Amino acid sequence: MENRTARLTILIDPIKKQIFEEICAQQDLTSSQVIRKLMRQYISEHAGSRELPEWLAGPVAKVENRSQ
């Protein structure tokens, strides 16, 4: 698991933000939790040959690496 945190500031349309936060709340998740999950998925799918930490690579990346 990650040891430290860093802040990422993004600019988005206020309506998208509101809808996103409403959907997150309906699923009892914070927007940060969802963004972190999306980032992990994106990294796993697009990391290429980069060496990823075990906690980040996860089962999805392991399966992809085995098929190569």
Side-chain angles (χ1 to χ4, degrees):
M1 196 68 168
E2 299 105 318
N3 293 332
R4 302 194 305 172
T5 60
R7 182 173 305 272
L8 174 65
T9 303
I10 61 169
L11 300 175
I12 60 171
D13 178 284
I15 296 171
K16 278 188 212 141
K17 180 180 181 284
Q18 178 184 354
I19 294 169
F20 179 70
E21 288 176 338
E22 289 172 1
I23 294 169
C24 290
Q26 288 173 349
Q27 297 177 348
D28 197 27
L29 297 168
T30 66
S31 55
S32 291
Q33 288 172 308
V34 175
I35 296 294
R36 284 192 297 267
K37 180 180 178 183
L38 292 169
M39 289 180 73
R40 283 190 302 270
Q41 290 172 339
Y42 187 86
I43 290 169
S44 292
E45 292 171 6
H46 297 90
S49 61
R50 287 180 181 85
E51 189 72 29
L52 299 176
E54 184 69 25
W55 58 265
L56 181 58
V60 174
K62 288 180 189 173
V63 171
E64 288 176 0
N65 287 339
R66 285 186 199 145
S67 65
Q68 294 177 355

